[in-house]
Amino acid sequence: MNKSNYFKLDARQTRRNAMIDALRAPCYALCITMAGFSAIARESGFDFIMALTTSLGVWGMPGQVAFASLYSAGASLLIIFVAVSLANMRMLLMVISAADMMHLKSHDLPVWKRIFWMQFLAITAWAHLGFAQQKYPSHLLLHYYQGFSLTIFTFGILGTVMGFFLTDLLPPELLRVVIFVTPIYILLLIMNARQKANRLAVIFGGALSPIFFPFVGEWAILLAGLIGGTLASLYGRFIAKWHLETAA
Amino acid sequence: MEHYSFFQSWLAVLCAILGTLIWRVAGVMLASRIPADGPMMGWVNTMAYALVAAVLLLIFVHPIGVLATTNLDQRVVGLAAGLVMMFFTKRLILSLFCGVGAFALAIEFI
């Protein structure tokens, strides 16, 4: 299907296409990943409803894992709040970026509805949105996002339920291969971002975080994101002048 | 290891939810105030991409949990196979299977 055919789709067809994209691979990997969280949560002393509420309400894997490990250590409520906020701070940037990609303003939704839909945003859906941006016209991207994010959310919650009750869902030899799917999938998506500056940011951010890690630990993520993103942005604007290219 | 009472454990869950929700709400509020094609939006986007790449590369280089039972060489083989395939074919699912397949083989043979 070439790009002009995507313009002819309506909202329902776009949602269905997005659902199919989700069902092709990412939803199963995410299901297993969330089952992994659930297993960690149970070992940390969560009961089932708590694990489920955490997945439903937080919906951001790094923050959830941070929460479970702090909970098992008996950390104070303030520490939990601060650590989860730091681990999920990228949500702020991802939400702004997603709203920009989907031209959310043009859909004229009330604030509560915008927040409601952003509740389903996590790394996979955001990265997929950037990838879909190359095929779909921007007025359909909100519908694409709805179909995609709800599908993987459903599978993620299913994974949380299964992981809590089925201790050995998969043998460890197979499990580690399945766990590898989500990170590599997301990396493949983001290295194909439409704008060159964003692709450059992937390279800078990815290269810097393992370099910083031995010195600053988990702070490496935020530091690499800030420095890598800023460098890519400056390079794109002042050295390569890519913005002129996109304007042409 | 009962650190929390029933009430406290639910407060902890609430703290985790709020710790994420604040960013989503702030994101929605800020998104409508930042001009769409300006340098600020460009910067937000590059930082989002760099942050996500930073999270992922840390998972590849210093994994926790079950991935930590594999070694770095095996993960690099899988990652490289996927990236090379994507670079040449631009086909997402094919590249994904190629990378994951190479990783599975690397675990077997390296």
Side-chain angles (χ1 to χ4, degrees):
Chain A
M1 191 148 64
N2 63 35
K3 180 142 184 166
S4 67
N5 289 334
Y6 285 96
F7 272 90
K8 294 181 196 139
L9 296 173
D10 63 26
R12 247 190 72 227
Q13 288 164 326
T14 307
R15 280 193 208 104
R16 208 193 56 204
N17 278 0
M19 209 176 112
I20 292 167
D21 282 348
L23 289 172
R24 283 170 82 192
C27 67
Y28 313 111
L30 202 77
C31 179
I32 303 293
T33 307
M34 293 309 276
F37 159 74
S38 213
I40 298 171
R42 192 191 45 214
E43 282 162 30
S44 308
F46 284 45
D47 65 25
F48 170 63
I49 302 295
M50 272 174 68
L52 186 64
T53 311
T54 304
S55 277
L56 287 168
V58 177
W59 193 240
M61 190 63 178
Q64 284 176 234
V65 172
F67 176 38
S69 48
L70 287 170
Y71 189 87
S72 71
S76 74
L77 296 181
L78 180 69
I79 299 275
I80 288 175
F81 176 76
V82 172
V84 174
S85 313
L86 284 174
N88 276 341
M89 204 176 115
R90 58 171 203 298
M91 287 291 179
L92 173 70
L93 300 167
M94 280 162 41
V95 166
I96 299 175
S97 158
D100 181 46
M101 283 193 264
M102 297 190 286
H103 291 215
L104 202 58
K105 261 186 258 184
S106 69
H107 290 277
D108 225 15
L109 296 173
V111 174
W112 71 267
K113 267 193 186 165
R114 278 183 271 164
I115 295 171
F116 171 80
W117 284 111
M118 287 305 179
Q119 177 62 29
F120 304 106
L121 189 78
I123 296 183
T124 310
W126 171 79
H128 222 279
L129 195 58
F131 193 69
Q133 200 187 14
Q134 299 173 27
K135 288 192 206 161
Y136 290 86
S138 50
H139 71 275
L140 287 176
L141 280 175
L142 176 64
H143 309 293
Y144 186 92
Y145 165 75
Q146 289 169 335
F148 189 89
S149 64
L150 282 185
T151 309
I152 60 167
F153 187 77
T154 308
F155 275 83
I157 297 307
L158 200 69
T160 309
V161 176
M162 290 188 334
F164 201 89
F165 295 111
L166 306 172
T167 345
D168 303 308
L169 199 59
L170 292 174
E173 293 78 19
L174 191 58
L175 182 64
R176 56 193 186 180
V177 176
V178 179
I179 295 284
F180 193 69
V181 173
T182 298
I184 195 168
Y185 183 77
I186 297 167
L187 204 65
L188 290 174
L189 288 173
I190 60 175
M191 68 171 266
N192 281 284
R194 196 171 64 178
Q195 275 89 6
K196 278 185 195 166
N198 293 341
R199 294 202 291 271
L200 199 63
V202 170
I203 295 170
F204 286 161
L208 289 175
S209 87
I211 297 174
F212 291 158
F213 185 77
F215 305 103
V216 290
E218 298 289 323
W219 288 98
I221 294 171
L222 289 179
L223 213 57
L226 180 69
I227 297 176
T230 307
L231 285 178
S233 186
L234 290 175
Y235 192 85
R237 285 199 73 73
F238 296 111
I239 299 175
K241 305 237 186 281
W242 288 324
H243 58 296
L244 295 178
E245 192 183 318
T246 50
Chain B
M1 48 167 269
E2 258 331 297
H3 294 294
Y4 306 95
S5 68
F6 177 79
F7 181 64
Q8 280 173 325
S9 64
W10 277 99
L11 272 182
V13 173
L14 192 68
C15 283
I17 291 176
L18 284 178
T20 313
L21 188 65
I22 48 167
W23 300 120
R24 296 187 204 267
V25 173
V28 166
M29 296 304 161
L30 286 172
S32 55
R33 285 175 178 76
I34 299 175
D37 295 314
M40 186 70 192
M41 194 56 95
W43 188 39
V44 167
N45 271 299
T46 53
M47 278 200 296
Y49 276 94
L51 256 177
V52 171
V55 173
L56 293 175
L57 261 292
L58 221 50
I59 294 176
F60 282 114
V61 181
H62 301 284
I64 48 163
V66 71
L67 263 191
T69 62
T70 61
N71 62 47
L72 184 62
D73 293 349
Q74 296 162 343
R75 295 190 297 272
V76 168
V77 166
L79 181 62
L83 292 182
V84 168
M85 198 64 173
M86 191 70 181
F87 188 78
F88 286 111
T89 68
K90 298 278 172 217
R91 293 186 47 192
L92 180 63
I93 302 295
L94 177 71
S95 311
L96 177 69
F97 279 106
C98 186
V100 174
F103 176 65
L105 288 175
I107 292 178
E108 257 339 281
F109 298 111
I110 296 182

